[in-house]
């Protein structure tokens, strides 16, 4: 009886400790982390309505036949009948742009592949969001607008079939070195806008022609157990960011693998001299990235910018980096008033070119006739409990175009093969505690 009582008491104490830890979990500015972030079980697809397997509606397993209209007809049918799950079974199915409606969902079974067309004419031109602006551009392979509760899941694959687009892009840069990313016409893989309670889970997302996933003005987005890749050789996949968040609130990215030929996770939100006053732009906030792994193709594991106005309350933790250019990159545009604040990076291990990069961004900026650069800020950044092998410890460049203050480096162990220096003079109120670089403790 005493043994049972002791076990019961131990269980209660353990539960109290766990609850206490959760209760103390907060964003860097002290805002409590909501209960939503602890609900990480993938949605049971059987609760989302009837199944609509595309092969039951004259769609055939053939990677060479474009079947956009037939697949779209299945989506429309499900919507008309009150919603349901569009199922891509084993096989490969070629398609142009698809548009999901409220209460419709996408599920790709193991061995199934939704493959994007490599002909840009299969993707209509519409008013959309792209690179921090509202413009007329090409839609994605999978599109959804105003679809609260939308899910994309399964054990299969969405393949953007991007090789032809990538080759064309690099050829264009040889012909016109001043061309921009949007000059070469390319679709994204997934674009979701104006929606709440979105979940992506389980899938392989690969070979996107342009950004892999893009979310605009969305809330409560969950990414679980995704495998997102694009190559950097023999043909590099330009600007194939894994996850682009554009004016989004409450985002949880957990147990994902990302190795793409650009930034893995990038916070957008707007650009231009008056971007902070544009109703189409806005803040990205309350974002947690954890238990993820970042592969060698990545330019950066986590980036603020380059088209970003305000990013706040970010937690990036408990993750492995395997060779990206840097762990965290703050791109500071001279043509946009930017503010990056309250960012916590902790419990990161692995290797990268550098831990942190803060420097002026000089690619494709436009002051639109104004003479003076826009002053930006980055403040309350904390890096702690990090063990990293790198080439450069951290690149923090001084500049008249931005202000840096309240940086904390704590319990860092860094091996830097070329440059162990950390430019603390660029930051007002730089705190260092137990920062070891190449076996030597750094102090201020």
């Amino acid at each position: 009886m005493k043994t049972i009582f002791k076990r019961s008491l131990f269980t209660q104490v353990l539960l109290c400790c766990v609850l206490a830890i959760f209760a103390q979990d907060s964003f860097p500015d002290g805002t409590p982390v909501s209960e939503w972030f602890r609900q990480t079980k993938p949605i049971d697809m059987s609760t989302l309505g009837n199944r609509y397997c595309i092969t039951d509606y004259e769609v055939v397993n053939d990677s060479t036949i474009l079947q956009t209209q037939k697949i779209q007809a299945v989506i429309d049918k499900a919507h008309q009948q009150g919603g349901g799950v569009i199922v891509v079974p084993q096989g490969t199915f070629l398609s142009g742009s698809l548009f999901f409606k409220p209460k419709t969902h996408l599920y790709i079974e193991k061995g199934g592949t939704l493959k994007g067309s490599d002909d840009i004419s299969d993707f209509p031109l519409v008013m959309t969001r792209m690179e921090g602006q509202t413009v007329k551009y090409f839609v994605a392979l999978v599109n959804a607008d105003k679809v609260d509760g939308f899910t994309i899941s399964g054990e299969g694959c969405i393949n953007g079939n991007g090789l032809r687009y990538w080759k064309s892009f690099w050829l264009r840069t040889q012909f016109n070195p001043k061309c921009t990313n949007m000059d070469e016409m390319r679709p994204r893989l997934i674009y979701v806008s104006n929606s709440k309670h979105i979940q992506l889970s389980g899938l392989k997302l690969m070979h996107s022609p342009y950004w892999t996933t893009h979310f605009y003005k969305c809330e409560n987005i969950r990414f679980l157990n995704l495998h997102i890749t694009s190559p950097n050789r023999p043909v590099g996949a330009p600007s194939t960011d894994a996850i682009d968040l554009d004016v989004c609130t409450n985002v949880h990215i957990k147990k994902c693998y990302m190795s793409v030929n650009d930034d893995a996770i990038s916070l957008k939100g707007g650009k231009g001299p008056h971007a902070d006053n544009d109703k189409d732009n806005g803040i990205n906030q309350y974002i947690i990235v954890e238990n993820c792994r970042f592969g060698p193709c990545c330019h950066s594991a986590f980036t603020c910018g380059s088209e970003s106005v305000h990013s706040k309350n970010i937690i990036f933790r408990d993750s492995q980096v395997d060779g990206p250019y840097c762990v965290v990159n703050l791109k500071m545009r001279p043509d946009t008033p930017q503010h990056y604040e309250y960012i916590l990076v902790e419990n990161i291990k692995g290797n990268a070119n550098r831990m942190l990069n803060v420097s002026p961004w000089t690619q494709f900026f436009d002051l639109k006739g104004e003479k003076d650069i826009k002053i930006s800020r980055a403040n309350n950044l904390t890096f702690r409990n990090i063990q990293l092998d790198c080439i450069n410890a951290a690149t923090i460049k001084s500049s008249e175009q931005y202000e840096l203050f309240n940086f904390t480096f704590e319990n860092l162990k860094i091996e830097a093969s070329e440059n162990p220096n950390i430019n603390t003079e660029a930051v007002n109120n730089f705190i260092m505690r137990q920062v070891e670089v190449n076996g030597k403790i750094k102090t201020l």
Side-chain angles (χ1 to χ4, degrees):
M1 190 70 180
K2 289 183 179 180
T3 301
I4 295 174
F5 174 76
K6 288 180 180 179
R7 286 178 180 174
S8 177
L9 181 61
F10 174 77
T11 302
Q12 291 180 39
V13 171
L14 181 61
L15 179 60
C16 289
C17 290
V18 171
L19 291 174
I21 292 172
F22 280 153
Q24 294 169 4
D25 198 8
S26 60
F27 285 101
D29 76 342
T31 302
V33 172
S34 72
E35 181 63 27
W36 178 84
F37 284 93
R38 296 186 247 286
Q39 300 167 3
T40 58
K41 186 177 180 180
I43 293 173
D44 183 353
M45 300 302 289
S46 67
T47 66
L48 298 176
N50 295 329
R51 288 168 53 94
Y52 294 81
C53 183
I54 60 173
T55 51
D56 292 339
Y57 298 90
E58 300 182 351
V59 179
V60 297
N61 175 12
D62 192 321
S63 64
T64 66
I65 300 175
L66 189 71
Q67 302 182 86
T68 311
Q69 292 182 352
K70 289 183 178 180
I71 299 173
Q72 185 64 55
V74 180
I75 299 170
D76 295 344
K77 182 180 183 65
H79 173 63
Q80 292 164 6
Q81 296 183 350
V85 181
I86 286 73
V87 177
V88 176
Q90 184 174 355
T92 301
F93 305 87
L94 184 67
S95 180
S97 54
L98 300 171
F99 299 88
F100 283 78
K101 311 293 178 63
K103 296 185 179 180
T104 62
H105 308 269
L106 175 61
Y107 185 87
I108 303 179
E109 293 183 342
K110 186 175 182 179
T113 297
L114 179 64
K115 182 179 179 182
S117 168
D118 63 3
D119 184 345
I120 192 60
S121 66
D122 293 322
F123 301 87
L125 273 168
V126 301
M127 289 303 296
T128 186
R129 181 74 172 184
M130 198 68 230
E131 292 195 347
Q133 55 193 329
T134 301
V135 294
K136 196 171 187 179
Y137 200 69
F138 300 93
V139 297
L141 174 59
V142 174
N143 303 270
D145 181 62
K146 299 177 182 176
V147 286
D148 293 355
F150 181 53
T151 68
I152 305 175
S153 63
E155 298 180 74
C157 174
I158 302 179
N159 184 343
N161 193 23
L163 181 60
R164 184 177 177 183
Y165 296 103
W166 308 333
K167 286 182 176 180
S168 183
F169 175 86
W170 295 120
L171 185 61
R172 182 182 287 267
T173 61
Q174 294 178 38
F175 174 73
N176 176 17
K178 294 183 179 181
C179 76
T180 68
N181 283 327
M182 291 176 62
D183 286 338
E184 179 55 43
M185 303 178 291
R186 299 178 286 164
R188 291 153 287 178
L189 199 69
I190 296 171
Y191 177 62
V192 181
S193 56
N194 303 301
S195 302
K196 299 179 181 180
H197 304 292
I198 311 303
Q199 184 179 109
L200 278 70
S201 64
L203 293 168
K204 291 182 179 179
L205 308 177
M206 62 186 295
H207 294 178
S208 180
Y210 207 168
W211 293 354
T212 305
T213 70
H214 180 194
F215 293 80
Y216 175 57
K217 287 193 174 180
C218 291
E219 297 181 19
N220 291 15
I221 318 166
R222 187 171 283 120
F223 303 82
L224 301 174
N225 304 298
L226 297 170
H227 190 276
I228 307 175
T229 58
S230 66
N232 61 0
R233 62 174 68 90
V235 179
S239 302
T240 48
D241 305 1
I243 298 172
D244 284 296
L245 303 174
D246 192 355
V247 194
C248 292
T249 295
N250 287 350
V251 180
H252 196 185
I253 303 170
K254 186 170 185 177
K255 294 184 179 179
C256 293
Y257 175 78
M258 289 163 270
S259 185
V260 294
N261 192 36
D262 209 317
D263 299 323
I265 301 167
S266 186
L267 304 189
K268 304 296 184 178
K271 65 180 179 181
H274 304 288
D276 53 339
N277 294 318
D278 188 332
K279 63 179 178 58
D280 289 339
N281 300 333
I283 188 172
N284 291 291
Q285 61 183 338
Y286 304 122
I287 298 167
I288 297 179
V289 180
E290 59 185 348
N291 307 120
C292 290
R293 184 181 168 198
F294 300 85
C297 289
C298 298
H299 293 189
S300 177
F302 189 92
T303 293
C304 291
S306 55
E307 305 93 21
S308 183
V309 177
H310 192 186
S311 297
K312 180 180 180 180
N313 276 328
I314 316 298
I315 298 175
F316 175 21
R317 65 190 178 192
D318 304 329
S319 294
Q320 173 84 24
V321 292
D322 298 320
Y325 173 76
C326 62
V327 178
V328 174
N329 194 2
L330 305 185
K331 297 179 179 179
M332 315 298 287
R333 294 181 70 106
D335 62 353
T336 303
Q338 299 172 310
H339 192 186
Y340 308 141
E341 60 175 338
Y342 294 102
I343 299 173
L344 169 63
V345 183
E346 64 177 351
N347 303 329
I348 307 295
K349 294 183 179 181
N351 65 90
N353 184 289
R354 65 201 69 204
M355 180 182 71
L356 171 66
N357 182 70
V358 185
S359 59
W361 178 253
T362 59
Q363 186 181 29
F364 306 135
F365 68 88
D366 183 5
L367 281 166
K368 298 187 181 300
E370 297 193 12
K371 295 181 180 180
D372 298 328
I373 62 173
K374 303 302 173 182
I375 304 300
S376 295
R377 290 175 290 167
N379 62 277
N380 295 87
L381 272 69
T382 299
F383 290 75
R384 70 187 180 206
N385 302 335
I386 293 175
Q387 186 171 336
L388 196 67
D389 291 330
C390 57
I391 298 173
N392 306 286
T395 300
I396 307 174
K397 294 185 178 180
S398 300
S399 174
E400 295 181 352
Q401 76 180 53
Y402 51 74
E403 301 170 350
L404 309 176
F405 54 97
N406 297 346
F407 281 28
T408 300
F409 285 5
E410 182 176 11
N411 193 25
L412 309 185
K413 188 173 182 180
I414 298 174
E415 292 293 326
S417 61
E418 292 186 9
N419 186 0
N421 297 322
I422 298 173
N423 180 18
T424 59
E425 295 181 358
V427 181
N428 184 20
N429 190 29
F430 202 136
I431 298 172
M432 282 193 180
R433 302 188 188 97
Q434 292 299 312
V435 175
E436 180 182 319
V437 181
N438 293 351
K440 297 180 179 180
I441 298 294
K442 292 275 188 179
T443 58
L444 290 177

